[in-house]
């Protein structure tokens, strides 16, 4: 198997394709990272923006991975952070891999809508505890592989170790990818890499 072909890479430095965070925003680029602070407790999904280089190739890639480093500040028991693939936008289905600070993870097929979402858990489990016992911030590397169309195979890796797999017999067509999460403290994303798996 050949090495994956990187289609998009963003470290959120000047020139990033993502929007800057302002004092009125829950999310956006700040200090060369992408930050989420969701005081309302709502879930946020951050797709690859239209301005992203090679976005058309990302949208058409049959076998793709999305990976990102996530720094989490513990303190909100409802915090979750993750990545997604095959996102067709509002009222369309998407695959989401999410992780909580205690190591619980799920791979879901969700229908995102204007009034919330419908969630179907495809696989779930628990990785070794991630949270620093002293309650300090910690960094996690997440990667989600989305392979094939009908069926679609999904593989979640945390810190370089495969922790979960799922198979969706009906599958979803290639579409957008991105980052997601919810926290009343801070979730800080960095080093987003989207690659085609040959």
């Amino acid at each position: 198997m050949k090495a994956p072909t990187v289609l998009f890479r963003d470290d959120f430095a000047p020139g990033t394709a993502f929007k800057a965070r302002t004092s009125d925003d829950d999310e956006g680029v700040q200090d060369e990272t992408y930050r989420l602070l969701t005081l309302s407790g709502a879930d946020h999904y951050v797709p690859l923006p239209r301005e992203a280089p090679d976005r058309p190739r990302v949208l058409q890639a049959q076998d793709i991975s999305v990976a990102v480093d996530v720094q989490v500040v513990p303190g909100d028991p409802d915090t979750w952070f993750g990545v997604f693939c095959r996102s067709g936008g509002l009222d369309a289905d998407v695959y989401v891999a999410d992780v909580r600070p205690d190591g619980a993870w799920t791979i879901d097929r969700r229908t995102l809508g204007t009034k919330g979402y419908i969630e179907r858990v495809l696989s779930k489990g628990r990785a070794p505890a991630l949270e620093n016992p002293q309650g300090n911030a910690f960094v996690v590397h997440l990667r989600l592989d989305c392979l094939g169309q009908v069926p679609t195979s999904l593989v979640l890796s945390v810190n370089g170790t495969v922790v979960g797999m799922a198979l969706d017999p009906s599958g979803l067509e290639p579409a957008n990818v991105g980052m997601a999460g919810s926290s009343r403290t801070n979730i800080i994303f960095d080093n987003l890499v989207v690659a085609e798996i040959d």
Side-chain angles (χ1 to χ4, degrees):
M1 179 183 290
K2 295 190 296 185
T5 302
V6 174
L7 301 179
F8 176 80
R9 185 189 306 270
D10 202 325
D11 62 2
F12 309 111
T16 177
F18 291 84
K19 69 179 181 71
R21 182 179 180 183
T22 69
S23 58
D24 297 327
D25 292 330
D26 286 343
E27 62 180 270
V29 175
Q30 179 183 347
D31 299 329
E32 298 189 6
T33 58
Y34 195 97
R35 298 181 178 228
L36 283 181
L37 178 64
T38 55
L39 297 177
S40 65
D43 295 346
H44 281 234
Y45 297 86
V46 185
L48 213 60
R50 293 186 182 278
E51 298 78 12
D54 282 333
R55 185 174 180 268
R57 288 184 64 192
V58 170
L59 299 184
Q60 296 170 6
Q62 180 74 30
D63 298 328
I64 199 163
S65 73
V66 54
V68 71
D69 294 328
V70 189
Q71 178 180 316
V72 181
V73 178
D76 176 11
D78 296 322
T79 289
W80 68 268
F81 47 90
V83 287
F84 62 85
C85 65
R86 308 275 171 98
S87 170
L90 282 178
D91 299 318
D93 283 8
V94 57
Y95 295 123
V96 182
D98 67 66
V99 180
R100 296 183 181 272
D102 65 358
W105 59 265
T106 60
I107 300 173
D108 306 329
R109 178 169 172 164
R110 299 180 187 178
T111 305
L112 303 182
T114 53
K115 297 182 180 179
Y117 61 82
I118 300 170
E119 176 181 10
R120 179 160 59 98
V121 175
L122 301 175
S123 185
K124 64 181 179 178
R126 185 172 298 276
L130 300 174
E131 186 171 353
N132 184 301
Q134 283 75 43
N136 298 328
F138 59 96
V139 176
V140 177
H141 181 75
L142 300 181
R143 173 175 163 166
L144 176 64
D145 296 346
C146 304
L147 310 169
Q149 187 170 328
V150 180
T152 297
S153 297
L154 302 144
V155 181
L156 171 63
S157 300
V158 177
N159 294 335
T161 299
V162 173
V163 298
M165 295 183 287
L167 184 69
D168 183 9
S170 57
L172 292 175
E173 295 181 359
N176 210 349
V177 302
M179 309 167 290
S182 179
S183 179
R184 294 180 177 84
T185 51
N186 247 324
I187 305 174
I188 302 172
F189 296 94
D190 205 357
N191 303 315
L192 176 66
V193 178
V194 182
E196 186 172 17
I197 302 170
D198 297 320

